[in-house]
Amino acid sequence: MLSRLGAKPEKSPRTPAAIGIGMAKKQAQRDAKKLEEAFETGMAQRKGMGKKKKAAQSEFSAACCSL
């Protein structure tokens, strides 16, 4: 409400690095799972993706399966 009047929004408290790294890793896992499901259902195609993204996705899936 106040941001519409020109006030700055309140900052959220700083997240410690150890927690932030874990959160980022878990988000990457969620994104990879969502992308894989999109491939399986035909919502997305691997063909149109760039080389870097394909390599990162295959590398992540290999690391994910080894856990």
Side-chain angles (χ1 to χ4, degrees), residues 16 21 29 43-44 49 54-55 57 66:
I21 290 169
Q29 287 178 349
M43 300 281 290
M49 299 178 71
K54 260 192 230 180
Q57 197 267 336
S66 65

Side-chain angles (χ1 to χ4, degrees), residues 1-11:
M1 168 103 177
L2 293 176
S3 61
R4 288 190 285 171
L5 299 174
K8 291 185 179 180
E10 292 184 24
K11 287 187 177 180

Side-chain angles (χ1 to χ4, degrees), residues 2-46:
L2 293 176
S3 61
R4 288 190 285 171
L5 299 174
K8 291 185 179 180
E10 292 184 24
K11 287 187 177 180
S12 59
R14 183 183 175 279
T15 305
I19 294 173
I21 290 169
M23 288 169 53
K25 190 181 288 186
K26 186 65 177 181
Q27 186 61 42
Q29 287 178 349
R30 287 188 203 109
D31 291 341
K33 184 177 178 183
K34 191 181 296 184
L35 187 61
E36 193 62 36
E37 287 179 3
F39 290 146
E40 291 172 3
T41 59
M43 300 281 290
Q45 294 182 351
R46 294 181 197 273

Side-chain angles (χ1 to χ4, degrees), residues 52-64:
K52 287 183 182 180
K53 198 166 188 178
K54 260 192 230 180
Q57 197 267 336
S58 64
E59 181 179 301
F60 180 79
S61 64
C64 180

